[in-house]
Amino acid sequence: MVKIMCYNGVVNQSSREAFLKLGDKMKDLKSIIAENIVNLRKENGLTQAQLAESLNYSDKAVSKWERGESLPDVSVLKEVAGIFNVSVDYLLESDHQKETVKKAAVNRKKFRQRALITAMSVMLVFLVASVVFFILDTVTSLSSHWLAFVFAVPVSLLVWLIFNSIWFNPRRNYFIISTLLWSTLGSLFITFFSLRLWLLFIVGVPAQIIIFLWSGMQGRDD
């Protein structure tokens, strides 16, 4: 009887130790996944709200994952891995140097290609402006054909804004939008210079304040 009680005590002790070890492993796993999601999200220039929207989850759920308070389901881990172009194993491991180096090389190549496409698209706007300028200068007697280059500035900024929203850091959008705002107002002022439309720039002040407040509000999602 004593032997049975001792055996049961040993078994219970072993079970408790195994349970505690399992709990520690779960904590470690939560921490690893949390750190990986945070790093990948920031590397790709996403806010918690944007990542949550991609996964059809709330930003509170993403926040809990990143703080290690909960674990996403396996299906969600697959979606997260797909969004950041990594494997599920990458999310579960703390040491993934080889995959990180490979991913960094791929990202650099992709970034260069996207940057070139964006730059060519922006220059295409000025090419079109040059063609318009040439046609107007050749065919018509208008003296204001140079305005084609003036309006090419806000149009090129609009093109940059579109590509930046799709491929690059969304935080840069606030700078682009601000520049787009003032270049548009400046173009209108130059076009109707004889009317002295100084009030256009007064309109730009509250608009700029709205952009500033919007950027501050979005920044809280990080």
Side-chain angles (χ1 to χ4, degrees), residues 119-140:
M120 287 189 295
S121 300
V122 170
M123 294 310 300
L124 181 62
V125 173
F126 286 94
L127 176 61
V128 172
S130 300
V131 172
V132 172
F133 174 83
F134 175 77
I135 293 175
L136 292 177
D137 186 57
T138 305
V139 178
T140 68

Side-chain angles (χ1 to χ4, degrees), residues 9-181:
V10 171
V11 171
N12 290 335
Q13 181 65 26
S14 299
S15 298
R16 281 195 295 270
E17 291 177 356
F19 183 77
L20 290 173
K21 288 181 180 178
L22 180 61
D24 291 338
K25 288 182 179 179
M26 287 299 293
K27 288 181 181 178
D28 291 340
L29 184 60
K30 285 182 180 180
S31 300
I32 290 170
I33 293 176
E35 184 178 358
N36 286 332
I37 291 177
V38 171
N39 291 337
L40 288 169
R41 177 177 63 79
K42 290 184 177 180
E43 286 174 7
N44 287 268
L46 296 178
T47 64
Q48 289 181 346
Q50 289 170 330
L51 177 58
E53 185 179 355
S54 301
L55 298 169
N56 291 323
Y57 271 76
S58 67
D59 54 347
K60 291 182 179 179
V62 174
S63 179
K64 286 184 177 181
W65 301 340
E66 294 189 351
R67 292 198 304 268
E69 295 179 0
S70 64
L71 280 173
D73 297 334
V74 175
S75 58
V76 178
L77 284 175
K78 289 182 179 179
E79 289 186 53
V80 172
I83 290 173
F84 297 126
N85 195 28
V86 297
S87 64
V88 175
D89 290 339
Y90 183 98
L91 297 174
L92 303 177
E93 297 174 354
S94 58
D95 184 17
H96 32 57
Q97 185 176 359
K98 291 183 179 179
E99 189 164 350
T100 301
V101 172
K102 182 179 178 181
K103 181 176 177 291
V106 172
N107 285 342
R108 282 195 298 270
K109 182 179 180 181
K110 187 183 293 184
F111 179 85
R112 285 196 299 268
Q113 290 175 340
R114 290 176 173 179
L116 285 172
I117 293 173
T118 303
M120 287 189 295
S121 300
V122 170
M123 294 310 300
L124 181 62
V125 173
F126 286 94
L127 176 61
V128 172
S130 300
V131 172
V132 172
F133 174 83
F134 175 77
I135 293 175
L136 292 177
D137 186 57
T138 305
V139 178
T140 68
S141 59
L142 294 175
S143 60
S144 58
H145 45 271
W146 52 272
L147 287 173
F149 294 108
V150 173
F151 280 95
V153 175
V155 174
S156 64
L157 287 168
L158 180 60
V159 172
W160 184 17
L161 175 64
I162 293 171
F163 281 101
N164 188 74
S165 300
I166 298 172
W167 285 337
F168 302 109
N169 189 349
R171 283 187 172 278
R172 193 180 295 115
N173 285 350
Y174 306 119
F175 167 76
I176 301 174
I177 292 172
S178 296
T179 311
L180 175 60
L181 168 67

Side-chain angles (χ1 to χ4, degrees), residues 192-222:
F192 304 103
F193 184 76
S194 60
L195 299 178
R196 297 293 192 272
L197 299 178
W198 295 105
L199 289 177
L200 282 173
F201 297 103
I202 296 178
V203 173
V205 173
Q208 181 63 65
I209 294 174
I210 291 173
I211 295 170
F212 176 76
L213 294 175
W214 178 36
S215 66
M217 184 175 63
Q218 292 295 318
R220 292 180 181 178
D221 293 333
D222 289 346

